[in-house]
């Protein structure tokens, strides 16, 4: 009867925590709000950044983060990084990626990509879920309680499929994703820019694999996104790849050997390149050193050379910035502040480019690696009600349309519309007795379907047979606060809901996600044990606290000496096993304590009832 | 319009929030009613913005994360209507089209393809200049810029006229005025397309 006991003793279950997660291309972080503000939660070793790298070991274990990063070099065929680039995408979308990244796509990857790691295949959401699981564990270890709900950030320019894939990853990791929030918007929350009360702010976010620009209007705690733009395939990765290519060419001419297909060599070189790149943000020149199998390649890079090499990559961010300013309906002069987000904004050339474009010195006070996760934690606190004076109004980055005659797109919801947003359209049949109508929904700015991104096909089913053109079915397209499309349909004549079947063009079906959750449970056997132990400890905490409180109750002193002794004994027995990794043992001792305190609970209940009765003055 | 009783406390609920228990009610899809505004064409946009922020704070899904499934659904629907309504009502053209549609006017796009007769000559010259520029004749540029400025001014004139008609309709509720507004909107759209086209060519 642990429940009864808890109620009697009034042990309060704390409000479940919601964490904020930045699921990045290169690194991921988890953060949480405490009394003084948002804080990044480090891993048990004290590291705030968890590298977004996942490895499937020969022993059949999933390894994530820093240990997986090491395996990139030792086990390149079983290890994957930058998987965010593949989220919500089809094989045809990622041909460019495949040329530059060592992704091993498994056979039969049509609408859903499958990556080969050793002898198993994993979808990008599954890979991401292992990273999320790691973050979840880090948070649970630090907070001492189970974490089930999260806010996860996505690039503002992510489309519907990419968002859905991120949500799927959360579910696979055992997290309820309460909200997907756009990375630049999250960053603006973390900066607390609303302190200036009113103003226009631009957020320039150049990460490992994605670029976003958002322009917001701040008004008394409301963060209203006016426009957003970006490129989901532009980031620090592109800089690394360029430097790797140059180094590989050098090495080939020096050593007479082409290493570009040697996974382990390329990964070693990649590390050297990244380190050199990072150093160049702080020093005017550096040596890039690459050692492989007893041979050594060295090259001196000046910052100037580096900047010449990457100038065009940085320039690619400027077009989206200008388009965003125009879409926001503001002039450069009206923008009060510029915020830099993402590790790549440490590069001095990036800072100069931003300063020149916006004619303002950008904010860099917060660590650009952490600011998104911190903002996600603020959004989590908004959702729990712990923060009430702030509200985020975001927009959909891409227009939503349906296919009409001749493969032309009819736009229903325009880009930069504040979300949630909706549109309705009435559909009918073309043939007598037609039972089904197929609606093809696309996302993008172009006029023709073939130039936009197919989102899904919605099939209106079981339409009552009628002459052509008579049925009137109103379909409502609603983009929710996560930027994800929901479709409902109503038969206008009967007012009844019309059944709609969704066939996503890319990504996982509901059944696939369910199947993966089952499958992941096998892999998560160890996790599961750990979780059980943690749950048992939470339960133990509750009963120990309740007993402690009860010891001050009058009823406690009415117990016999013997009974009190038994309670003390049971408490000590429970404390003895509290830190053991055996949840069954902990639960057994909880049960013992429960039994020992049964009489006490009854007495306290009686007292409570008596005083309640007295209070009512019958 | 008659409203149902509050789903939560059962008392009569006329507003978005129940007067008695403050529960969020299923939202009405009418944009003006949602904002609690008279259906006027001449609208105070600054006031609309204040109302938008105020309502956002109260209906946004962020405020209902811990609510029941029903409340979350109402909040999602209410926020969508709020955002759609704000987008339409803050823009004079979209607002007029919304009112026209509610009064049974067809506001299809195809009508804007007919050249307004008084613009025929001007449009003819403009097309010649556009053609020249496309063929690489940069000397057409100044005349195109002049044409763009003329059309922008014309559009400004249309906007002034629209403003007058808005007030006239608000005062009289005369359908005839709406018909004239529709005519002006078509003209405006036509001119707008021309400006856009010229700007695109000039930027190319």
């Amino acid at each position: 009867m642990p429940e009864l006991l808890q109620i009697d003793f009034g042990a309060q279950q704390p409000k479940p925590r919601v964490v904020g997660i930045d699921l990045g291309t290169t690194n991921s972080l988890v953060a949480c709000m405490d009394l003084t503000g948002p804080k990044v939660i480090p891993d048990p070793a004290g590291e705030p950044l968890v590298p977004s790298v996942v490895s499937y070991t020969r022993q059949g274990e999933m390894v994530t983060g820093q240990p997986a990063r090491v395996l990139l070099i030792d086990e390149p065929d079983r290890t994957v990084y930058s998987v965010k680039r593949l989220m919500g995408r089809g094989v045809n979308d990622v041909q460019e990626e495949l040329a530059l990244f060592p992704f091993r796509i498994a056979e039969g990857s049509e609408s859903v990509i499958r990556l080969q790691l050793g002898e198993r295949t994993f979808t990008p959401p599954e890979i991401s879920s292992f990273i999320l699981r790691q973050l979840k564990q880090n948070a649970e270890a630090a907070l001492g309680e189970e974490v089930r709900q999260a806010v996860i950030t996505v690039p503002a320019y992510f489309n519907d499929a990419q968002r859905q894939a991120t949500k799927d990853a959360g579910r696979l990791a055992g997290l309820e994703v309460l909200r997907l929030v756009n990375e630049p918007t999250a960053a603006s929350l973390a900066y607390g820019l609303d302190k200036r009360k009113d103003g226009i702010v631009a957020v320039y976010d150049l990460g490992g694999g994605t670029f976003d620009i958002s322009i917001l209007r701040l008004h008394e705690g409301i963060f209203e996104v006016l426009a957003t733009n970006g490129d989901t395939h532009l980031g620090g990765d592109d800089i690394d790849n360029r430097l790797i290519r140059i180094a590989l060419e050098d090495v080939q001419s020096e050593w007479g050997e082409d290493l570009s297909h040697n996974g382990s060599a390329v990964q070693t070189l990649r590390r050297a390149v990244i380190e050199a790149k990072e150093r160049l943000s702080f020093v005017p020149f550096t040596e890039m050193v690459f050692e492989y199998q007893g041979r050594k390649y060295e090259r001196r890079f000046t910052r100037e050379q580096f900047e010449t090499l990457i100038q065009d990559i940085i320039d690619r961010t400027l077009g989206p910035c200008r388009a965003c300013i125009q879409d926001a309906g503001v002039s450069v002069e009206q923008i009060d502040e510029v915020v830099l987000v993402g590790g790549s904004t440490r590069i001095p050339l990036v800072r100069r480019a931003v300063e020149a474009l916006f004619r303002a010195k950008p904010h860099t006070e917060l660590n650009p690696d952490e600011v998104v996760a911190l903002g996600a934690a603020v959004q989590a606190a908004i959702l729990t009600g712990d923060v009430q004076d702030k509200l985020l109004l975001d927009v959909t980055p891409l227009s939503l349309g349906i296919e009409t005659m001749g493969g032309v797109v009819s736009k229903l919801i325009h880009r930069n519309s504040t979300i949630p947003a909706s549109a309705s359209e009435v559909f009918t049949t073309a043939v007598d007795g037609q039972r089904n109508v197929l609606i093809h929904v696309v996302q993008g700015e172009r006029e023709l379907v073939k130039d936009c991104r197919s989102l899904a096909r919605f099939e209106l089913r079981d339409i009552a047979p009628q002459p052509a053109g008579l049925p009137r079915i109103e379909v409502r397209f609603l983009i929710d606060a996560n930027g994800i499309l929901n479709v409902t349909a109503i038969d206008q004549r009967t007012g009844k809901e019309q059944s709609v079947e969704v066939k996503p063009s890319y990504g996982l079906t509901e059944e696939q996600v369910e199947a993966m959750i089952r499958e992941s449970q096998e892999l998560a056997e160890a996790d599961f044990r750990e979780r059980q132990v943690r749950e048992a400890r939470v339960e133990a905490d509750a009963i120990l606290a309740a007993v402690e409180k009860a010891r001050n109750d009058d009823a406690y002193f009415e117990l016999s000496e013997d009974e009190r002794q038994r309670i003390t004994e049971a408490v000590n027995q429970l404390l003895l096993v509290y830190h053991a990794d055996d949840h069954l043992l902990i639960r057994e001792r909880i049960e013992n304590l429960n039994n020992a305190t049964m009489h006490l609970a009854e007495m306290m209940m009686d007292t409570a009832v008596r005083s309640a009765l007295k209070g009512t003055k019958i | 319009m008659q409203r149902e009783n509050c789903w939560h406390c059962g008392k009569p609920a006329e507003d978005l929030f129940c007067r008695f228990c403050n529960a969020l009610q299923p939202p009405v899809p009418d944009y003006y009613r949602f904002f609690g505004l008279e259906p006027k064409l001449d609208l105070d946009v600054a006031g609309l913005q204040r109302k938008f922020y105020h309502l956002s704070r109260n209906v946004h899904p962020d405020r209902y994360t811990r609510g029941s499934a029903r409340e979350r659904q109402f909040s999602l629907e209410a926020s969508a209507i709020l955002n759609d309504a704000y987008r339409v009502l803050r823009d004079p053209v979209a607002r007029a089209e919304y009112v026209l549609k509610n009064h049974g006017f067809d506001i299809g796009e195809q009508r804007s393809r007919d050249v307004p007769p008084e613009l025929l000559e001007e449009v003819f010259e403009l097309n010649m200049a556009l053609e020249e520029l496309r063929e690489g004749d940069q000397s057409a540029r100044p005349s195109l810029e002049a044409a763009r400025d003329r059309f922008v001014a014309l559009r400004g004139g249309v906007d002034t006229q629209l403003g007058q008609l808005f007030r006239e309709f608000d005062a009289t509720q005369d359908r005839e005025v709406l018909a004239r507004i529709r005519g002006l909107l078509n003209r405006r759209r036509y001119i707008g397309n021309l400006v856009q086209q010229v700007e695109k060519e000039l930027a190319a």
Side-chain angles (χ1 to χ4, degrees):
Chain A
M1 312 198 340
E3 267 179 31
L4 177 68
L5 193 73
Q6 277 181 10
I7 291 165
D8 285 350
F9 286 170
Q12 285 263 315
Q13 277 290 343
K15 216 158 81 175
R17 293 259 208 158
V18 183
V19 294
I21 292 176
D22 172 6
L23 184 58
T25 309
T26 316
N27 293 304
S28 297
L29 297 89
V30 59
C32 175
M33 200 73 157
D34 73 14
L35 291 173
T36 57
K39 294 277 174 315
V40 171
I41 301 172
D43 71 3
E47 268 302 312
L49 298 181
V50 171
S52 302
V53 186
V54 174
S55 189
Y56 177 57
T57 67
R58 287 175 197 276
Q59 291 75 42
E61 281 172 323
M62 301 309 303
V63 175
T64 53
Q66 194 54 43
R69 202 173 157 203
V70 174
L71 289 171
L72 262 179
I73 290 165
D74 299 334
E75 292 278 15
D77 294 340
R78 311 184 70 97
T79 311
V80 59
Y81 69 97
S82 288
V83 75
K84 190 172 178 180
R85 288 186 168 242
L86 303 183
M87 291 286 272
R89 319 197 80 213
V91 166
N92 292 333
D93 302 328
V94 297
Q95 290 309 312
E96 221 174 287
E97 271 39 51
L98 296 185
L100 293 167
F101 292 85
F103 291 129
R104 290 161 302 281
I105 305 287
E107 299 275 315
S109 302
E110 273 93 36
S111 68
V112 183
I113 292 174
R114 285 179 185 280
L115 291 167
Q116 192 78 45
L117 296 191
E119 52 293 337
R120 277 191 72 143
T121 67
F122 299 91
T123 63
E126 282 176 290
I127 299 287
S128 298
S129 79
F130 295 116
I131 301 164
L132 289 173
R133 214 183 279 270
Q134 167 83 62
L135 297 170
K136 180 175 184 274
Q137 280 170 10
N138 291 354
E140 287 173 341
L143 298 172
E145 64 181 67
E146 198 184 6
V147 172
R148 290 171 187 271
Q149 295 177 316
V151 168
I152 301 181
T153 62
V154 290
Y157 219 55
F158 252 20
N159 66 31
D160 184 276
Q162 292 169 305
R163 286 167 193 270
Q164 191 61 57
T166 306
K167 229 179 152 187
D168 290 343
R171 266 182 75 190
L172 291 171
L175 285 169
E176 184 190 351
V177 182
L178 289 186
R179 176 62 42 84
L180 295 174
V181 52
N182 293 332
E183 286 156 10
T185 333
S188 71
L189 274 179
Y191 256 100
L193 294 165
D194 55 320
K195 286 194 188 75
R196 60 168 294 133
K197 236 182 158 193
D198 288 312
I200 308 254
V201 175
V203 184
Y204 178 103
D205 179 356
L206 187 61
T210 57
F211 169 66
D212 281 327
I213 172 80
S214 287
I215 294 177
L216 297 91
R217 177 191 290 137
L218 308 186
H219 178 76
E220 291 172 358
I222 289 191
F223 291 65
E224 181 189 12
V225 179
L226 298 176
T228 193
N229 210 307
D231 186 335
T232 53
H233 288 86
L234 180 59
D237 277 353
D238 295 288
I239 295 171
D240 304 345
N241 285 335
R242 178 157 303 172
L243 296 178
I244 290 169
R245 215 170 52 225
I246 291 167
L248 280 172
E249 281 166 18
D250 274 8
V251 167
Q252 188 169 10
S253 60
E254 263 180 46
W255 300 358
E257 194 182 336
D258 178 13
L259 290 176
S260 59
H261 298 289
N262 178 333
S264 156
V266 172
Q267 287 313 315
T268 311
L269 180 59
R270 190 167 159 264
R271 284 291 279 276
V273 158
I274 290 172
E275 281 162 17
K277 173 185 81 170
E278 290 175 355
R279 281 197 301 274
L280 279 175
S281 289
F282 304 97
V283 295
F285 58 86
T286 190
E287 300 288 334
M288 183 171 87
V289 186
F290 167 56
E291 279 177 281
Y292 189 70
Q293 291 176 338
R295 282 178 292 187
K296 195 167 174 186
Y297 159 80
E298 271 179 288
R299 180 173 169 153
R300 191 186 165 92
F301 267 110
T302 66
R303 188 186 285 170
E304 217 176 343
Q305 286 170 320
F306 173 68
E307 290 182 348
T308 311
L309 279 172
I310 64 165
Q311 181 78 54
D312 65 306
I313 295 175
I314 307 308
D315 285 349
R316 276 171 60 199
T317 66
L318 301 180
C321 288
R322 293 194 190 99
C324 189
I325 295 170
Q326 189 175 7
D327 285 348
V330 298
S331 64
V332 169
E333 292 74 31
Q334 285 176 282
I335 297 172
D336 300 296
E337 322 233 7
V338 183
V339 171
L340 292 183
V341 184
S344 303
T345 61
R346 287 201 178 90
I347 299 171
L349 179 64
V350 173
R351 297 196 171 179
R352 290 207 305 275
V354 173
E355 220 176 307
L357 180 67
F358 290 97
R359 293 174 222 154
K361 197 145 193 73
H363 276 277
T364 53
E365 297 92 321
L366 295 181
N367 181 339
D369 290 324
E370 297 185 352
V371 59
V372 168
L374 294 174
V378 176
Q379 177 64 31
I382 292 174
L383 296 182
T384 57
D386 293 329
V387 168
Q388 297 199 337
D389 56 341
K390 290 184 173 62
L391 179 67
L392 209 62
L393 299 176
D394 223 314
V395 299
T396 180
L398 300 159
S399 298
L400 183 97
I402 48 173
E403 176 169 357
T404 58
M405 299 279 267
V408 177
V409 178
S410 164
K411 280 186 189 154
L412 296 178
I413 299 175
H414 288 264
R415 73 164 189 272
N416 293 323
S417 294
T418 305
I419 51 174
S422 70
S424 290
E425 191 77 11
V426 176
F427 292 87
T428 187
T429 50
V431 182
D432 288 347
Q434 188 178 336
R435 303 292 305 268
N436 299 344
V437 171
L438 199 63
I439 305 165
H440 184 200
V441 179
V442 299
Q443 217 170 10
E445 307 314 314
R446 305 283 295 276
E447 301 290 320
L448 296 179
V449 170
K450 68 175 177 60
D451 299 320
C452 286
R453 173 154 185 101
S454 175
L455 256 190
R457 285 177 168 77
F458 293 89
E459 193 174 9
L460 305 178
R461 305 215 298 183
D462 307 323
I463 299 168
Q466 289 171 71
L470 216 58
R472 292 184 64 80
I473 294 150
E474 186 181 343
V475 180
R476 184 136 186 263
F477 302 87
L478 191 152
I479 299 178
D480 66 17
N482 301 313
I484 292 179
L485 176 68
N486 301 264
V487 171
T488 50
I490 282 176
D491 186 330
Q492 282 192 331
R493 285 185 326 110
T494 61
K496 268 201 246 160
E497 191 140 329
Q498 170 75 44
S499 109
V500 187
E501 194 187 273
V502 191
K503 292 173 187 156
S505 307
Y506 299 93
L508 305 166
T509 62
E510 183 59 26
E511 291 77 39
Q512 284 173 309
V513 176
E514 303 258 336
M516 280 178 190
I517 288 176
R518 281 196 299 278
E519 206 178 310
S520 73
Q521 274 159 3
E522 293 165 32
L523 273 168
E525 194 61 36
D527 286 0
F528 184 62
R529 261 201 315 279
E530 224 184 288
R531 205 174 88 190
Q532 282 182 313
V533 170
R534 211 171 291 135
E535 278 174 358
R537 283 187 195 147
V538 168
E539 227 173 274
D541 287 339
I543 189 169
L544 287 169
V547 171
E548 203 46 50
K549 207 173 141 199
R551 276 176 164 168
N552 295 319
D553 196 288
D554 289 342
Y556 184 73
F557 299 100
E558 287 171 33
L559 293 176
S560 69
E561 182 67 30
D562 194 41
E563 275 176 314
R564 272 182 284 179
Q565 185 104 36
R566 265 190 62 210
I567 292 174
T568 310
E569 182 81 357
V571 166
N572 290 339
Q573 287 295 326
L574 176 56
L575 286 173
L576 217 53
V577 299
Y578 183 85
H579 287 286
D581 282 335
D582 187 342
H583 70 275
L584 291 175
L585 195 58
I586 299 175
R587 286 196 188 280
E588 192 188 296
R589 301 283 165 92
I590 290 175
E591 194 53 40
N592 279 347
L593 181 55
N594 241 331
N595 290 332
T597 53
M598 192 86 79
H599 187 208
L600 175 60
E602 281 166 11
M603 281 168 55
M604 283 172 72
M605 175 81 115
D606 284 349
T607 322
V609 171
R610 269 202 306 275
S611 62
L613 285 178
K614 240 187 263 164
T616 55
K617 289 186 183 150
I618 298 169
Chain B
M1 230 193 289
Q2 196 57 48
R3 243 306 235 243
E4 315 244 320
N5 288 341
C6 170
W7 62 271
H8 186 249
C9 71
K11 299 203 177 93
E14 282 127 34
D15 303 317
L16 188 55
F17 291 94
C18 173
R19 199 144 49 86
F20 302 97
C21 72
N22 210 29
L24 179 61
Q25 303 299 306
V28 284
D30 183 280
Y31 292 170
Y32 280 99
R33 279 194 63 205
F34 193 93
F35 267 98
L37 290 170
E38 295 288 314
K40 294 227 158 119
L41 276 173
D42 186 29
L43 208 80
D44 164 24
V45 176
L48 186 77
Q49 187 183 43
R50 276 194 302 276
K51 279 201 156 98
F52 170 69
Y53 286 144
H54 175 75
L55 284 166
S56 290
R57 281 185 210 277
N58 292 304
V59 304
H60 195 275
D62 280 7
R63 297 283 183 248
Y64 292 87
T65 318
R66 301 270 197 234
S68 67
R70 177 144 50 169
E71 281 176 302
R72 277 181 309 191
Q73 186 60 32
F74 289 162
S75 145
L76 178 60
E77 284 169 14
S79 297
I81 294 170
L82 171 65
N83 292 331
D84 298 344
Y86 181 52
R87 204 157 36 243
V88 165
L89 294 184
R90 74 181 166 195
D91 172 34
V93 172
R95 187 196 312 147
E97 285 175 345
Y98 179 73
V99 171
L100 282 170
K101 220 170 101 186
N102 280 352
H103 281 80
F105 282 87
D106 171 27
I107 50 156
E109 298 250 343
Q110 56 274 32
R111 297 187 64 94
S112 65
R113 296 217 182 105
D114 307 327
V115 183
E118 71 280 11
L119 293 178
L120 255 176
E121 199 176 334
E122 188 113 6
V123 169
F124 181 73
E125 278 172 25
L126 176 73
N127 281 336
M128 297 264 286
L130 278 174
E131 200 58 41
E132 282 165 24
L133 187 68
R134 275 194 210 107
E135 281 163 8
D137 184 355
Q138 289 298 324
S139 67
R141 197 168 272 273
S143 69
L144 271 181
E145 279 164 359
R148 177 197 54 199
D149 296 344
R150 244 184 345 266
F151 284 120
V152 168
L154 263 179
R155 187 170 59 184
V158 170
D159 287 347
T160 312
Q161 275 177 282
L162 271 175
Q164 283 160 3
L165 287 181
F166 282 4
R167 285 186 289 278
E168 195 178 330
F169 175 75
D170 290 343
T172 62
Q173 295 290 308
D174 184 356
R175 238 184 112 78
E176 183 51 40
V177 179
L178 283 183
R180 274 156 62 204
I181 288 174
R182 186 184 59 174
L184 267 182
L185 286 180
N186 284 337
R187 190 178 145 89
R188 191 188 190 283
R189 193 184 295 135
Y190 185 85
I191 297 169
N193 286 345
L194 285 179
V195 172
Q196 221 179 3
Q197 206 183 340
V198 174
E199 270 173 353
K200 207 171 108 193
E201 290 297 333
L202 282 173

